[in-house]
């Protein structure tokens, strides 16, 4: 009987071992920060580098080894402060219920948001305590008796009261935190007061914009200045990528030709999403061609296919996100991985002072990186290879 084929890679969504690899150092430090409740932390990294997966694995480790609850809040779906409150409270209640195998808290809170006012009132008054209190503020908010700012303040009050009432410790994670950038900045002041006041809560933030990091966490006049430890996500190193790929293919009895394994790091620049995607496409190819060995040409073909699949996205990226000048700068990387500012300026037939502000905007947006020697490079190596293929 033929054994069942299981995809050896997973591209998209958060991943856990055995699909999650490396990041040991970050895991150790961040889990320690969280477990001792000593540090608030910020994780900064470009898209697809594995921030959400790292946070997810931090949560798993903490919850397996302590009583600390780790609500994971995604800011992606928030478009205003009201959403911030709903999602924060809702996620905390859901995490608590899951941990204590309870039901009813979240559904009562949900009724306060959406049901008739009277039903909402009834639902939370049956629960009492901190949930009733925040529920009452919500009902006032719905009746327009209090402004949105007050609701946000009360959300932090709720965190405080809930923790005291249930005798909890929490690490609250805000993923995609750059989304809060357009909200009223007093949100950050409330975070700061909460950090000063609570010793049973720590906050973890993650985001994919350097300007957020600079503005919110590194600027002296920001309330969150010096309140967090900072962690930068890097691509995975070649050694880890190679081992991972060999091992994943092995689970499907696929061997990989010598040197072809190195292609996975080289072509993807070590960016986790692309490694998995490329692995997946190679695997599919072995099924179609009924092969048991991954060869260089198979990897290269799969990579070509990956570029085709990403075509629409990259096309949209280059068209919509950048100014003409930024586009020219970006395109100058299609021929070389790393360039000095003078070389870019020369290629564009202008002075460095003409492009320096566009360059720093690209660095802040995490499109470009700058190495220790002062060379610039495109953060997304696959995007760069796509650009080369367009010429
Ligand atoms: N540590 C890792 N090991 C292997 N693959 C990973 C790892 N982290 C992320 N990935 C891959 O990258 C994809 C995107 O990861 P994700 O955590 O969503 O990134 P981000 O939040 O930075 O955009 C995952 O679906 C997975 O395929
Ligand atoms: Mg993410």
């Amino acid at each position: 009987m033929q054994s069942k084929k299981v995809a050896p890679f997973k591209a998209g969504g958060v991943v856990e071992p055995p699909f999650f690899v490396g990041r040991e150092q970050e895991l150790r430090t961040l889990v320690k920060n969280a477990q001792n409740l000593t540090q608030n932390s910020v994780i900064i990294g470009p898209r697809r580098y594995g921030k959400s997966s790292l946070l997810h694995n931090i949560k798993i480790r903490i919850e397996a080894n302590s009583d600390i609850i780790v609500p994971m809040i995604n800011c992606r779906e928030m478009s205003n402060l009201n959403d911030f409150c709903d999602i924060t409270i809702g996620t905390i209640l859901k995490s608590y219920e899951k941990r204590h195998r309870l039901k009813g808290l979240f559904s009562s809170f949900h009724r306060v948001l959406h049901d008739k006012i009277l039903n909402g009132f009834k639902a939370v008054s049956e629960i009492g305590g901190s949930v009733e209190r925040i529920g009452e503020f919500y009902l006032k908010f719905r009746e327009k008796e209090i402004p949105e700012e007050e609701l946000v303040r009360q959300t932090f009050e709720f965190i405080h009261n809930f923790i005291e009432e249930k005798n909890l410790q929490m690490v609250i994670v805000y993923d995609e935190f750059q989304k809060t950038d357009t909200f009223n900045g007093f949100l950050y002041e409330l975070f700061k007061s909460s950090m000063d006041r609570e010793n049973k809560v720590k906050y973890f933030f993650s985001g994919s914009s350097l300007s957020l990091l600079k503005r919110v966490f590194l600027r002296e006049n920001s309330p969150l200045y010096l309140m967090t430890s900072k962690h930068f996500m890097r691509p995975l190193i070649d050694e880890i990528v190679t081992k991972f790929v060999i091992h994943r293919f092995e689970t499907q009895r696929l061997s990989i030709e010598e040197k072809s394994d190195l292609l996975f790091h080289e072509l993807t620049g070590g960016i986790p999403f692309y490694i998995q995607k490329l692995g997946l496409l190679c695997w599919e190819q072995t099924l179609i061609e009924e092969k048991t060995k991954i060869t260089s040409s198979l990897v290269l073909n799969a990579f070509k296919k990956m570029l085709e699949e990403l075509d629409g996205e990259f096309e949209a990226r280059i068209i919509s996100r950048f100014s003409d000048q930024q586009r020219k700068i970006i395109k100058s990387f299609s021929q070389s991985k790393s360039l000095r500012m003078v070389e870019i300026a020369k290629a564009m037939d202008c002075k460095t002072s003409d492009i320096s502000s566009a360059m720093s905007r690209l660095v802040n947006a995490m499109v470009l990186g700058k190495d220790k020697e002062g060379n610039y490079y495109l953060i997304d190596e696959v995007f760069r290879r796509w650009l080369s293929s367009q010429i």
Side-chain angles (χ1 to χ4, degrees), residues 14 47-48 50-53 55 74 76 175-176 206:
V14 294
R47 285 183 60 199
R48 295 175 164 163
K51 297 176 297 299
S52 302
S53 297
L55 290 168
N74 197 328
R76 196 176 34 216
D175 198 4
E176 310 258 8
S206 104

